[in-house]
Amino acid sequence: MRTVASTSSAFLNRIAVLPQAPVNGSRVPSLTSLFHWTDPGPWGERSYPGNCSGRLIRDLLRYFEPKTVFDPMTGSGTCREVCSELNLLCTSKDIRFGFDACDESHYDPAWTFDFVWLHPPYWRQKVYSADKRDMSTAPHLAYFLHRYRELLSNCVNVLKPGGKLAVLMGDYSDRHAGFVPLTYWTKRIAFERGLRQACTDIIRFSHGATSSHRVYRSSFIPGLHDTCMVFERPN
Ligand SMILES: C[S@@+](CC[C@H](N)C(=O)[O-])C[C@H]1O[C@@H](n2cnc3c(N)ncnc32)[C@H](O)[C@@H]1O
């Protein structure tokens, strides 16, 4: 059967019914493994490439109740603004302001945090700058993963025992590299670094992604989500 763009457009905006979540003692009952909200909230700038919903960050911070937060790849400042609303201390950095999160020498040896929010580039899906230290400019996958290992090591080193590292990452694919399972690599490197997973993966529906509005001649299964993985530094 031939499928044409007009046929597939009939599938747009269909409503999916979510499974019922069990009642439990969570402080944030709306936070489940399916993050489906369409309204990103007032935090950060929607126009910033890769901007993410502050609601997910807010829900995680209300759930885990850290006192200090580190956001090494702040982009438009979504996490910083959420922290300010929740009256949490947030140290917010980005390569845009000269801070290379992959370089240990950029870290203050006195830093320790209860919670790290990490939203790195999904390799070259969006290129943020021409800076060679920007992870989105990594010329090949091996170099990107080398930088990712450095990044996760640095984040682990500033986490207090029992502290949480939440990483939002999406898989990537293109014609040259094929399908690159960056969520797999995130877990593999996190476990190599001695972290353990603190809770279920949170599948974030990609509402508003620019790629959703494009028409492609090639055939593939569209990825409509990214994944938030929360790790814990053992005591
Ligand atoms: C996915 S965006 C973060 C978007 C952010 N969560 C928001 O809501 O606006 C990734 C960010 O990582 C930054 N970045 C890339 N390489 C970096 C590096 N080596 N050190 C620090 N920041 C880096 C980019 O400048 C970009 O702002």
Side-chain angles (χ1 to χ4, degrees), residues 10 18 23 35 72 77 96 107 123-124 126 158 204 213 219 234:
L18 296 170
V23 173
F35 189 87
R96 302 167 65 198
Y107 286 66
W123 186 14
R124 56 194 180 200
K126 291 183 191 337
V158 295
R204 187 185 73 126
H213 301 287
S219 163

Side-chain angles (χ1 to χ4, degrees), residues 78-116:
T78 309
C79 178
R80 186 182 59 233
E81 291 179 20
V82 171
C83 286
S84 154
E85 187 177 301
L86 298 177
N87 278 323
L88 294 172
L89 285 173
C90 180
T91 301
S92 178
K93 304 280 182 186
D94 199 284
I95 197 75
R96 302 167 65 198
F97 313 121
F99 177 84
D100 180 2
C102 306
D103 183 344
E104 192 183 2
S105 72
H106 286 216
Y107 286 66
D108 184 333
W111 280 348
T112 54
F113 302 98
D114 299 315
F115 192 96
V116 177

Side-chain angles (χ1 to χ4, degrees), residues 43-46 48-54 57 71-79 93-103 106-107 117-122 126-129 131-137 147 151 168 204:
W43 312 279
E45 284 168 36
R46 278 317 272 163
Y48 189 82
N51 167 264
C52 70
S53 164
I57 304 172
D71 173 20
M73 297 186 154
T74 196
S76 63
T78 309
C79 178
K93 304 280 182 186
D94 199 284
I95 197 75
R96 302 167 65 198
F97 313 121
F99 177 84
D100 180 2
C102 306
D103 183 344
H106 286 216
Y107 286 66
W117 168 255
L118 184 59
H119 188 199
Y122 304 169
K126 291 183 191 337
V127 177
Y128 290 92
S129 69
D131 191 323
K132 292 278 174 270
R133 300 169 304 170
D134 183 326
M135 286 178 70
S136 66
T137 66
R147 299 279 287 161
L151 172 66
L168 181 61
R204 187 185 73 126

Side-chain angles (χ1 to χ4, degrees), residues 123-179:
W123 186 14
R124 56 194 180 200
Q125 187 178 89
K126 291 183 191 337
V127 177
Y128 290 92
S129 69
D131 191 323
K132 292 278 174 270
R133 300 169 304 170
D134 183 326
M135 286 178 70
S136 66
T137 66
H140 47 75
L141 180 61
Y143 186 64
F144 176 84
L145 293 177
H146 163 71
R147 299 279 287 161
Y148 201 17
R149 284 195 169 85
E150 301 292 332
L151 172 66
L152 290 178
S153 290
N154 292 336
C155 290
V156 171
N157 289 341
V158 295
L159 262 189
K160 287 182 186 163
K164 305 291 184 294
L165 165 64
V167 187
L168 181 61
M169 179 50 88
D171 295 326
Y172 171 76
S173 68
D174 68 25
R175 210 177 319 151
H176 301 287
F179 184 80

